[in-house]
Amino acid sequence: MQTSLVYLLVVCVLAVGASSLGRPEEPCVAPLQWEGRTVQYDHSTGRNTRAAVAYDALNQRIRVLEQKTGHTPCKKFFEYIYLFKSGVFFQIEQVTKACAKLNLTEAWDPYDIPMNSTYEDQYFIGGPGDMIEVQEWSDRKHARKDETWVGVYTLKDCYPVHETYTKNSSVTTTTRFFDLELGISDPEVFTPPSTCMSALPERTTSDC
C-alpha cells in the first residue's frame, strides 16, 4: 500500500513538472522579413481579401498586392505600400496605376508576439502525421475577461499562422498566413511607381 502511494506521488510530481516545462516563459521571436500570402476576413462586411505580402519589420514597411479570385466584373484591385517610418501609404490601382497618397493614422504594429502576451495553448495543426506544432498567445489579462488580439505562431520558426484582431466592437479582422518564405527577394516592391509622383490625396473605392 505504501509503495503504491509513493508511486502515485512520483507520477503526479512528474506530470506537474512536465506540464510546467511545456509552458513557455516567454514567446518566440518572429522573423523580421518575409514574403508570403494572406487571406484577411473582415467580420463586419463578410469579405475575404487575398493578397501577396512582403513584410519588412526592420524598416517598418509592408507591401500588399491584392489577388483576383474568379471573375469579378468591374471590381478594382489595388497594391498598397505602407511606409510607417514616413507616416504615409500608397494605394495603386493595378490596371490604370492611378495612385493615391495618404497619411498613416495608425502606429507600426508588427506581426509578432508581444513579450507581455498571455500564453493560451500549444497544439498540432491538421490530422495525424502533419506534425505542424503551433503556440497560441493573446493580450488577455487577468483583470479583463476578453482579449482584443489572438495570434497563432509556429513553434519551430515562429512564423505567423493566424491572427484575430478586434479594434472595437464593430471592427474585427482575422488574417491567415501561408506559403511564407524568409527574406525579401525584391526590395524595390516598397518603392512607389512613377505615377505616385502626382498622387491624389483621396482613397479610391474598389466597388463598381
Side-chain angles (χ1 to χ4, degrees), residues 72-127:
T72 50
C74 77
K75 179 178 173 60
K76 297 176 181 178
F77 291 85
F78 297 94
E79 174 186 4
Y80 296 92
I81 301 175
Y82 298 89
L83 305 176
F84 283 85
K85 286 188 175 181
S86 301
V88 298
F89 77 95
F90 298 88
Q91 179 200 43
I92 303 110
E93 206 277 316
Q94 292 187 26
V95 175
T96 65
K97 301 301 179 182
C99 182
K101 180 180 179 181
L102 301 102
N103 294 325
L104 272 171
T105 57
E106 298 180 357
W108 168 251
D109 185 12
Y111 288 124
D112 66 1
I113 309 171
M115 295 304 294
N116 62 348
S117 297
T118 299
Y119 173 78
E120 298 289 354
D121 203 356
Q122 183 169 315
Y123 47 85
F124 290 94
I125 295 177

Side-chain angles (χ1 to χ4, degrees), residues 26-198:
E26 59 185 32
C28 59
V29 179
L32 297 177
Q33 293 180 322
W34 51 259
E35 294 176 325
R37 294 194 292 152
T38 64
V39 177
Q40 186 177 81
Y41 175 69
D42 189 320
H43 294 243
S44 61
T45 64
R47 292 183 177 180
N48 281 296
T49 301
R50 296 179 178 272
V53 176
Y55 169 78
D56 180 9
L58 291 174
N59 298 290
Q60 296 187 5
R61 54 188 185 175
I62 301 176
R63 184 254 197 165
V64 177
L65 183 66
E66 293 182 342
Q67 296 181 322
K68 297 181 180 180
T69 54
H71 182 59
T72 50
C74 77
K75 179 178 173 60
K76 297 176 181 178
F77 291 85
F78 297 94
E79 174 186 4
Y80 296 92
I81 301 175
Y82 298 89
L83 305 176
F84 283 85
K85 286 188 175 181
S86 301
V88 298
F89 77 95
F90 298 88
Q91 179 200 43
I92 303 110
E93 206 277 316
Q94 292 187 26
V95 175
T96 65
K97 301 301 179 182
C99 182
K101 180 180 179 181
L102 301 102
N103 294 325
L104 272 171
T105 57
E106 298 180 357
W108 168 251
D109 185 12
Y111 288 124
D112 66 1
I113 309 171
M115 295 304 294
N116 62 348
S117 297
T118 299
Y119 173 78
E120 298 289 354
D121 203 356
Q122 183 169 315
Y123 47 85
F124 290 94
I125 295 177
D130 289 339
M131 302 302 290
I132 302 174
E133 196 167 8
V134 298
Q135 286 185 347
E136 182 176 306
W137 297 77
S138 77
D139 64 350
R140 178 179 56 86
K141 303 303 176 187
H142 296 297
R144 190 182 68 231
K145 181 180 178 180
D146 300 324
E147 61 271 355
T148 61
W149 170 82
V150 176
V152 178
Y153 283 70
T154 59
L155 181 64
K156 182 177 180 292
D157 296 311
C158 207
Y159 281 105
V161 174
H162 177 280
E163 282 198 350
T164 296
Y165 178 69
T166 302
K167 190 173 182 179
N168 53 52
S169 59
S170 62
V171 179
T172 300
T173 57
T174 295
T175 305
R176 292 182 288 119
F177 305 81
F178 47 96
D179 293 343
L180 301 190
E181 295 184 3
L182 192 64
I184 303 296
S185 60
D186 181 14
E188 291 302 315
V189 298
F190 299 105
T191 302
S194 58
T195 53
C196 289
M197 295 295 292
S198 56

